[in-house]
Structures are given as structure tokens and as C-alpha cells.
Amino acid sequence: MTRGRDTVVGVVIVYVGVSLAAGAVAFAGARLAHTRFLAAATGNAVSELGPVFVETVLVALAVTALVVAPVLGIVVGLVLGRGVFDPGRSIPVAVGGGLLGTLLLGATVATLGGAGSPVGSIWTRSFLVALAVAAVASAVAGGIGAAVGARAG
């Protein structure tokens, strides 16, 4: 049981690390967009389009992080399936890790990215739907990765 618990902790640490890194990039990207477009530019177009531009950058960064989540899920699943657990145990851990890890990733990116953006937050219904889709895709990818890893291992 210790090996199983250590593996689950390892999966959590991987997702936390990726979440913090992606959140830091979202924060820095939002700050960069704000500094380059809103703070340095002048004119009426800036006041009208500037906040939209900064939000667009933040949404692009968040969606990029969500696209990477299923890839991370499949990699973690492959590693789990390659002998860490038997398939009956590695698949549920990979599925749960993909699901919960992606929710953590999305929440971190939205929170830190929003903190870097002075024009608002991306916590909208649309973002929550995208996050839910990415979490399910990551769970499925993690489960497939674990099954393939167990088969190959």
C-alpha cells in the first residue's frame, strides 16, 4: 500500500508542478500583454480594445494549458502502467489523476492569470465548460495511457 500511496502522491506532485508553472506563465503573459498594449500605448482604440486584447491573451494561455492537460494525462498514465501498479490499479489512478489534475491546472491558470490581468477574470461559464471537457479528456487519456503502459510493460 505504501508504493500505491507514494505513486498517487507523485501524480499529485506532477500536476501541482505543471499547474504552478502554467499559472506563472499565464500571470506573466497577462502582465506582458497589459504592459505592452495598455500601459505603453495611447489613443482611443487602446481604451476600447486594450482590455479585450489582454483578455484574449489570457484566454489563449488558459486554453493552451488545457490542451496540454490530456497530453500530460497520457504521459502520466503510461508511466503508471509501466509497472508501478497492476492494470486494475493503475488505470483508476491515472483516470483520477487526469481528472483532478486538470481541474487543478485550470483553476491555477485562471486564478494566477486573472491576478496578472488588471482587466478581469476568465472565470466564466465558457471557461468552466472548456475546463470540464479538458478534465474528461485528460481522464480518458490517462486511462488509455495506463492501459497501454500496462500492456507494454
Side-chain angles (χ1 to χ4, degrees), residues 8 12 17 23 25 35 41 44 77 95 106 134 137:
V8 171
V12 169
V25 169
T35 302
N44 290 338
V95 168

Side-chain angles (χ1 to χ4, degrees), residues 26-76:
F27 178 85
R31 293 305 309 155
L32 174 65
H34 174 261
T35 302
R36 297 290 296 160
F37 195 78
L38 286 177
T42 59
N44 290 338
V46 172
S47 63
E48 293 176 18
L49 297 177
V52 173
F53 174 75
V54 173
E55 283 298 310
T56 301
V57 168
L58 183 55
V59 167
L61 289 166
V63 168
T64 301
L66 294 181
V67 167
V68 170
V71 176
L72 180 61
I74 203 159
V75 169
V76 168

